[in-house]
Amino acid sequence: MDTEIPRSTRQGPRTRTLLAVGATALALAAAAATPLNPAPQQAKAAQADAKRTLTVAVSQSIDSLSPFLAQRLVSTSVHRLIYENLTNYDVKDNHAVPGLATKWEPSPDKLTWTYTIRENSSWSDGEQATAEDAAWTFNTMMKDEGAATANGSFVANFKKVTAPSPTQLVIELKKPQATMAALDVPILPRHEWEKVGDFSKFNNDKKFPVVGNGPFVLTDYKVDQYVKLKPNEKFWRGAPKFDELVLKYYKDGDAAVAALQKGEVSFAANLTPAQAASLSKAENIKVNDAPGRRFYALATNPGARSKDGKKFGNGHPALLDRRVRQALFAATDRKTIIDKVFQGHAVEGEGYIPPRFPAYHWKPSADQKIAYDPAKAAALLDEAGYKKNSAGKRVGKDGKPLDFRILCHATDPNDKAIGKYMQEWWGELGIGLKVECLDNVSDPWLAGEYDLAFDGWSVNPDPDFVLSIHTCAALPATPKDTGATDNFICDKKFDELYAQQTTEYDEAKRAEIVKRMQSRLYDTGYMNVMAYPNAVEAYRTDQIKSITTMPGSGGNLWGQDGYWSWWSAVPADVDDTSGEGGSSTGLVVGIGAAAVLAVGLGVFVAMRRRSTAEDRE
């Protein structure tokens, strides 16, 4: 679950005029080719005239192309490309930088925020993007529960939103809100979206091109096949340099890697250790191994329920006991997971916020930490009333064996490997575990029909969203509805801390509250963060000249807090010596020669960013 907002100060006008001149020159040369040497000249002319396509291999299905509903990483990544937020995150150090808004100022009591909307942002259909579009977006989320499905937490504290002029947006708050420079809400064109009837069902996937004001325009989409985008020539930062961006769906990670090796795609992410080792030896391929922005966790079902108080699903009742949850965590060897499964391409998990964000990263104290300790796990189970019978099987007071199910993503090899280890570790304690690997874990997850699940979220520089999904307010309204909750946690003490951090403007004090929230999650045992996986990616050095990582030093390319990588990517055959390619603040990865790019995405299969590889920002 990743929330995001990046911005850079760089503008990059395209070099199409220069390219057109070059193409014309090559065409003339080809026309004058001699019988002894026609093919090379003709080939060069064809190469210059060819469409430069950046193909990104993805393995996660789009849940929705509506920003009101989308929560999966692949979907929110698309939205960052086609719509702007009010602010963005700087590609170098994550501080807030201008997006649709050029500046933002609070009143002395910090209950009224005024945003100046830029005058040089227009929708891809030619209409001006204005403060009215932003006001309409926020007001719709405030009034319509369906429109608040994905990002409702950002507007829950809004009292009133108005647009006194086309360039002025005013947001009045009920109480102070620390996320006002980090509102991860795509601003939508009112003249297109006010025609929508039911926001809870509209997926924005029938009419193309989709009108937006980001660096790309969405031109076509086929479920589990592809998403196609073209440069937005009107984008105020300057249009991207590739002629087309394609997100191509690959259900199998090995197939995506094979496509990378063949040159059919230029970039693949979420590599396994074996894939990364193999690709590191391949010609014209470079592996990027950088600290990631997500966590990999074991989530428990604490009893699915809705806001109206109704319980549903069939989660195991034993997991309502904190001692049982903590016993399972004490019986899970994180070090083995890091060494044997991730093979060193991750660091051991503890708190909810990855070390990528040091201000909010938390570690348990020595006496608080739940280390791998099978003896302690056995004692906790005994204390909870689940003792071994003569057959060595844990049984409850009702005589029923202690058997659990865990949701596993069929496309994620990490889930399968860790599931096997857990069957061994927990089996020695007398606990049965069925690893249910599914192509789509969404349906049973949303229905509460699971005991445990492999979980993962991409975390944004501002942690508000990733914390909000564990509040009571995130629960679905009724069992039939879809809420913003991750796994139905509703803890009053956690909610109290969440409310405190939301209103705290002092960064140090807010960080301390956020750490207390992570401590609470840890102690209650609802979430066991096992690892912080690295972003392990690979790209073809003969196809991409330069591309921007985030952060600039040792950062990732796929799943950034913004649009920097794909917007900055420069084809290998483009003369970019003018400095037009890449970000002025980010690290530009230099490479080599031609025109296709691909990204092997993280593996999440859920109607709401359920994942094991990368979630939402």
Side-chain angles (χ1 to χ4, degrees):
M1 130 180 173
D2 318 89
T3 318
E4 316 118 346
I5 348 181
R7 279 318 151 306
S8 112
T9 56
R10 145 198 179 211
Q11 293 205 349
R14 300 193 57 142
T15 56
R16 289 190 183 277
T17 302
L18 177 61
L19 293 176
V21 172
T24 302
L26 283 170
L28 289 172
T34 68
L36 295 178
N37 190 29
Q41 293 170 325
Q42 292 169 354
K44 290 179 182 179
Q47 183 181 25
D49 289 335
K51 177 188 289 186
R52 296 178 176 84
T53 300
L54 181 61
T55 303
V56 175
V58 301
S59 59
Q60 186 183 36
S61 299
I62 296 282
D63 53 346
S64 177
L65 287 176
S66 166
F68 288 144
L69 303 177
Q71 294 181 318
R72 293 183 189 169
L73 179 62
V74 63
S75 309
T76 56
S77 294
V78 170
H79 292 146
R80 289 188 182 90
L81 298 175
I82 63 177
Y83 302 110
E84 278 224 280
N85 299 346
L86 291 178
T87 61
N88 207 328
Y89 288 123
D90 182 76
V91 71
K92 184 178 181 180
D93 61 10
N94 293 327
H95 75 270
V97 294
L100 181 59
T102 60
K103 63 179 180 178
W104 45 96
E105 299 174 311
S107 59
D109 62 5
K110 293 185 170 59
L111 292 177
T112 300
W113 287 72
T114 301
Y115 298 81
T116 300
I117 303 301
R118 67 175 59 257
E119 298 180 8
N120 61 338
S121 177
S122 61
W123 299 108
S124 52
D125 62 1
E127 291 205 24
Q128 181 71 21
T130 69
E132 182 55 40
D133 294 305
W136 180 87
T137 299
F138 291 127
N139 279 313
T140 300
M141 294 171 64
M142 292 163 62
K143 298 173 184 177
D144 191 297
E145 193 168 295
T149 299
N151 296 308
S153 63
F154 289 110
V155 302
N157 182 47
F158 287 11
K159 179 180 180 181
K160 184 179 180 181
V161 182
T162 57
S165 75
T167 59
Q168 188 178 63
L169 175 74
V170 179
I171 300 178
E172 298 178 37
L173 305 173
K174 301 172 186 175
K175 55 187 178 182
Q177 181 169 325
T179 62
M180 298 307 288
L183 298 173
D184 190 28
V185 178
I187 303 303
L188 303 177
R190 175 176 182 171
H191 63 282
E192 285 288 322
W193 283 77
E194 65 183 353
K195 307 169 188 175
V196 175
D198 188 345
F199 291 107
S200 68
K201 297 179 179 179
F202 179 70
N203 282 314
N204 195 29
D205 58 359
K206 297 294 187 282
K207 180 183 175 182
F208 300 100
V210 172
V211 176
N213 65 338
F216 290 90
V217 178
L218 178 58
T219 59
D220 196 11
Y221 164 66
K222 290 289 185 295
V223 176
D224 287 347
Q225 293 185 44
Y226 60 78
V227 178
K228 293 184 178 181
L229 306 102
K230 68 178 182 180
N232 179 4
E233 302 293 347
K234 300 181 177 67
F235 186 52
W236 65 272
R237 287 191 191 274
K241 288 186 170 56
F242 275 89
D243 299 309
E244 185 176 44
L245 172 64
V246 178
L247 307 187
K248 185 177 180 181
Y249 179 78
Y250 285 85
K251 180 179 179 180
D252 181 77
D254 288 334
V257 169
L260 177 70
Q261 292 172 319
K262 295 175 184 177
E264 296 172 356
V265 301
S266 316
F267 181 98
N270 196 35
L271 302 177
T272 65
Q275 290 169 341
S278 176
L279 290 173
S280 66
K281 302 174 184 177
E283 186 178 359
N284 297 324
I285 292 178
K286 179 175 177 58
V287 174
N288 182 43
D289 190 352
R293 54 184 285 260
R294 75 177 190 89
F295 62 79
Y296 182 93
L298 176 66
T300 64
N301 180 351
R305 50 185 157 169
S306 51
K307 290 179 183 176
D308 60 7
K310 294 181 180 179
K311 297 180 180 180
F312 57 95
N314 58 11
H316 201 298
L319 292 173
L320 299 178
D321 191 323
R322 180 191 300 195
R323 294 168 296 186
V324 173
R325 298 193 298 267
Q326 292 183 334
L328 296 181
F329 297 169
T332 302
D333 188 352
R334 292 182 180 85
K335 188 176 186 304
T336 293
I337 290 173
I338 299 300
D339 294 343
K340 301 297 185 181
V341 179
F342 290 100
Q343 295 182 28
H345 297 278
V347 294
E348 186 175 333
E350 293 175 317
Y352 199 61
I353 310 298
R356 166 97 166 246
F357 308 106
Y360 297 109
H361 180 58
W362 169 85
K363 288 177 173 288
S365 60
D367 59 348
Q368 181 183 19
K369 184 173 181 177
I370 303 175
Y372 178 56
D373 188 342
K376 179 179 180 180
L380 285 168
L381 291 171
D382 287 341
E383 183 182 331
Y386 295 93
K387 299 186 177 181
K388 282 187 176 181
N389 60 18
S390 58
K393 185 73 178 173
R394 293 276 172 182
V395 295
K397 295 178 181 179
D398 56 5
K400 294 182 179 180
L402 194 59
D403 293 330
F404 296 116
R405 306 157 294 165
I406 184 168
L407 282 177
C408 158
H409 303 79
T411 51
D412 192 337
N414 293 330
D415 282 10
K416 297 175 183 177
I418 295 172
K420 289 181 179 180
Y421 276 113
M422 286 180 171
Q423 286 177 321
E424 178 184 339
W425 296 329
W426 297 3
E428 293 176 354
L429 285 172
I431 298 172
L433 179 64
K434 181 180 180 182
V435 182
E436 300 180 334
C437 294
L438 307 174
D439 287 337
N440 179 9
V441 303
S442 176
D443 291 343
W445 199 315
L446 293 175
E449 296 174 354
Y450 69 99
D451 300 326
L452 304 124
F454 291 111
D455 197 6
W457 286 85
S458 294
V459 178
N460 303 312
D462 189 288
D464 182 85
F465 182 88
V466 80
L467 296 172
S468 74
I469 60 173
H470 293 314
T471 62
C472 300
L475 295 174
T478 72
K480 295 182 180 180
D481 294 312
T482 299
T485 185
D486 182 31
N487 58 316
F488 306 102
I489 294 174
C490 180
D491 176 60
K492 297 299 183 183
K493 290 185 178 180
F494 183 87
D495 277 21
E496 291 173 3
L497 291 170
Y498 176 78
Q500 291 177 30
Q501 68 84 28
T502 298
T503 60
E504 182 56 71
Y505 285 107
D506 184 284
E507 293 182 8
K509 292 180 180 178
R510 185 183 180 217
E512 184 57 36
I513 299 172
V514 169
K515 290 177 181 178
R516 289 168 59 193
M517 295 176 71
Q518 295 177 76
S519 178
R520 178 69 182 173
L521 270 181
Y522 188 91
D523 289 342
T524 55
Y526 291 125
M527 294 288 292
N528 176 19
V529 177
M530 298 182 288
Y532 307 116
N534 287 6
V536 186
E537 318 163 308
Y539 52 81
R540 292 202 62 91
T541 59
D542 59 352
Q543 296 187 3
I544 310 164
K545 174 176 288 188
S546 63
I547 188 168
T548 302
T549 61
M550 183 178 188
S553 178
N556 59 292
L557 294 169
W558 169 256
Q560 294 181 354
D561 300 295
Y563 44 66
W564 308 118
S565 55
W566 315 132
W567 169 68
S568 71
V570 178
D573 62 345
V574 170
D575 179 6
D576 198 51
T577 55
S578 62
E580 293 168 353
S583 167
S584 61
T585 55
L587 172 67
V588 176
V589 181
I591 333 179
V596 182
L597 173 82
V599 176
L601 236 220
V603 180
F604 315 100
V605 199
M607 163 148 185
R608 304 165 42 278
R609 286 192 299 192
R610 300 276 167 241
S611 191
T612 76
E614 310 167 62
D615 252 348
R616 154 146 170 144
E617 299 133 67

